[in-house]
Amino acid sequence: MPTITANTGTKHTLVVLLEDEPGALNRVVSMFRRRSFNIESLSVGHTEEANLSRMTLTVAGEDNEVEQMVKHLYKVLEVVKVTDVTAEQSIIREMALIKVTADKPENRAEIMQFAEIFKARVLDVAPDSITLESTGPEDEVDRLFILLKRYGIKESVRTGSVAMLRGSSVAGAI
C-alpha cells in the first residue's frame, strides 16, 4: 500500500456524501489516518436530504494517490458518493472569525478599512478588540490574516473549505 506524504502534490477538494450515522465521520477520518493521508481541511454539515451529511475535504496529493483515496472512501459503509471537484468549475469558500487587538483609534480605523476591502463583517467591537467574519476563497482569507497579524490576533477559527459545483451540476447527486 502506498503511503502518501503530507502536503505534497496538487491540492484536491473532495465532496463526500455520507449517511448521517453515529461514528460515520470517525470511520472516514480513521481511514485517512490509517493510510497516513493528511487532511488539510474538513467541514461537515447536514444536506437538503434527510439522513445525509455532506463533507468537504481538502487534501494534497498526486492525482493517482487521491484516486486511491476515493476508492478507499467507497469502502466505508456510510459513504454514498465521492466527487473530486478540483478540476470542475466550482465555488470553494472558507469562513473565519478573527478577533484582533484594536486598542488604539488609528488601528481601529485601519482594521475597519481592511474589513471593507475584504468584505468582512464586523461582528463585535470591544474596548480593546474587533471581531471580524471573513468569507471567501482560502487565499483571500489568508491575505486578511496576514494584514491583521501586525495588530495582534487574539483568537481565530476557520471552518475549512466548503465546495459546490457551478451551474446546474450537482456534486452530491446520487
Side-chain angles (χ1 to χ4, degrees):
M1 164 178 38
T3 300
I4 299 170
T5 308
N7 299 324
T8 61
T10 306
K11 188 179 279 192
H12 288 258
T13 302
L14 304 176
V15 174
V16 181
L17 265 185
L18 66 157
E19 296 172 12
D20 194 10
E21 299 287 332
L25 173 62
N26 184 42
R27 283 185 277 286
V28 169
V29 172
S30 293
M31 188 279 300
F32 277 86
R33 179 189 47 77
R34 283 192 309 272
R35 287 170 174 65
S36 302
F37 201 85
N38 186 43
I39 299 172
E40 291 191 4
S41 79
L42 168 71
S43 115
V44 184
H46 296 290
T47 67
E48 68 284 357
E49 299 280 332
N51 301 320
L52 283 181
S53 292
R54 183 178 171 126
M55 178 184 298
T56 306
L57 294 157
T58 304
V59 296
E62 300 302 325
D63 291 348
N64 62 331
E65 296 168 331
V66 174
E67 191 176 307
Q68 278 301 110
M69 279 296 110
V70 170
K71 289 178 182 174
H72 287 295
L73 277 169
Y74 276 114
K75 293 178 183 174
V76 177
L77 291 178
E78 292 86 356
V79 171
V80 175
K81 181 161 186 177
V82 182
T83 307
D84 185 347
V85 299
T86 307
E88 305 293 327
Q89 292 285 325
S90 57
I91 301 165
I92 301 174
R93 295 291 185 265
E94 182 174 307
M95 187 187 82
L97 299 178
I98 310 161
K99 185 180 295 180
V100 60
T101 302
D103 50 0
K104 298 176 185 169
E106 62 272 17
N107 290 354
R108 286 180 176 272
E110 288 178 11
I111 291 166
M112 297 298 243
Q113 285 178 336
F114 289 139
E116 187 175 320
I117 292 168
F118 284 87
K119 298 180 177 70
R121 291 180 4 153
V122 177
L123 298 181
D124 187 48
V125 177
D128 63 344
S129 68
I130 295 175
T131 302
L132 303 175
E133 172 191 292
S134 175
T135 304
E138 182 182 3
D139 62 334
E140 189 175 302
V141 175
D142 287 343
R143 288 197 313 269
L144 181 58
F145 263 90
I146 289 168
L147 290 170
L148 295 176
K149 271 188 178 174
R150 74 172 95 161
Y151 305 103
I153 294 176
K154 297 177 105 174
E155 184 178 12
S156 68
V157 61
R158 295 174 80 150
T159 61
S161 296
V162 292
M164 184 173 280
L165 293 174
R166 289 190 179 272
S168 58
S169 299
V170 179
I174 304 172

